[in-house]
Amino acid sequence: MNPPILERDPSDPQKQKKEGVNPLLKLVLELGPLMVFFFANARGGWLVQKFPALAEFGGPIFVATGLFMAATAIALIASWLLMRTLPIMPMVSGVVVFIFGALTLYLQDDIFIKMKPTIVNTLFGGVLLGGLYFGKSLLGYVFDSAFSLDAEGWRKLTFRWGLFFLFLALANEVVWRNFSTDAWVTFKVWGIMPITLLFTFSQMPLILRHSLEDKTGKEEKAGK
């Protein structure tokens, strides 16, 4: 059986609600927690001076972890209120943040929050490649896709993203195990995002070649 072609009914109220959300606001909800994490780690001492209660968390990385968890919760709640749904990736990532963040704070060991990107990216990479093994292209579900591709396009794109997630997991392991905590935080915030954007844009030729909407448009023009 061929992988599903994911198309959304334009009259779907959930889709209409998502499309009605300002793209800049969606970007803030996605990147906001990471910015909080970076700022809190860099200015942890200053934050403790201004808000002494934060000293209960411990050092800067622990203050950053606590605020990261709070910011993630706020972002998820705001997303739900705006769209009445939670995309799979932010939801799964949020759950892992809460679990590994809680372990980090309780045990006062930052290894758990450092392993969080490894766990999340390995999970998504494994799911995507495992789905292909069983003949299913699951990328559209993971990304809550708004575009439609043919079966071959979904297979190729799913395979590429599966490998890319595993690459991100490996990169995280290399950085946190070989560099300082500050270097890891900087890489997590300012390194992963540009790499991901560059990879995403590099997939546009494949998406355009296998887009059903593009093919439909060409067929309509040819019919005229």
Side-chain angles (χ1 to χ4, degrees):
M1 185 170 62
N2 288 330
I5 296 173
L6 302 184
E7 296 183 87
R8 292 191 178 276
D9 184 349
S11 63
D12 183 349
Q14 283 193 348
K15 180 180 179 183
Q16 291 176 347
K17 193 146 191 170
K18 290 180 188 177
E19 293 177 344
V21 177
N22 188 299
L24 181 59
L25 178 57
K26 291 173 70 174
L27 184 64
V28 169
L29 291 175
E30 292 176 6
L31 298 184
L34 281 178
M35 297 296 103
V36 169
F37 186 65
F38 177 79
F39 176 79
N41 181 72
R43 302 298 301 276
W46 178 82
L47 285 170
V48 169
Q49 288 182 346
K50 294 293 183 181
F51 307 98
L54 294 178
E56 296 294 326
F57 286 124
I61 188 63
F62 301 110
V63 171
T65 298
L67 296 181
F68 184 40
M69 294 169 66
T72 298
I74 292 171
L76 290 174
I77 292 171
S79 295
W80 171 258
L81 293 175
L82 289 170
M83 297 179 285
R84 291 300 173 185
T85 185
L86 289 176
I88 293 177
M89 282 193 69
M91 182 173 61
V92 171
S93 182
V95 170
V96 178
V97 165
F98 298 142
I99 294 173
F100 280 73
L103 289 171
T104 296
L105 296 178
Y106 181 72
L107 299 175
Q108 286 292 286
D109 189 344
D110 61 10
I111 188 175
F112 294 102
I113 197 64
K114 289 178 178 178
M115 288 180 62
K116 175 262 175 185
T118 301
I119 299 299
V120 171
N121 288 314
T122 301
L123 176 62
F124 281 119
V127 166
L128 292 181
L129 296 179
L132 284 180
Y133 180 79
F134 290 103
K136 300 290 184 180
S137 299
L138 302 176
L139 186 69
Y141 295 106
V142 172
F143 281 139
D144 197 25
S145 179
F147 51 81
S148 299
L149 302 179
D150 59 29
E152 182 182 1
W154 279 122
R155 282 195 297 269
K156 289 181 177 179
L157 198 60
T158 298
F159 180 71
R160 293 182 184 185
W161 271 102
L163 292 181
F164 181 68
F165 278 124
L166 296 183
F167 163 76
L168 292 180
L170 178 61
N172 184 70
E173 285 295 295
V174 170
V175 173
W176 84 259
R177 290 180 184 274
N178 294 281
F179 297 91
S180 67
T181 295
D182 288 345
W184 171 76
V185 172
T186 300
F187 173 74
K188 174 179 171 62
V189 177
W190 304 111
I192 293 298
M193 183 56 64
I195 292 172
T196 302
L197 288 175
L198 182 62
F199 176 78
T200 301
F201 287 129
S202 73
Q203 303 311 303
M204 290 308 298
L206 173 66
I207 292 173
L208 292 176
R209 281 199 306 271
H210 294 277
S211 173
L212 292 179
E213 294 175 359
D214 186 51
K215 291 179 179 179
T216 301
K218 289 180 180 180
E219 289 174 357
E220 290 178 352
K221 288 182 180 179
K224 291 180 181 180

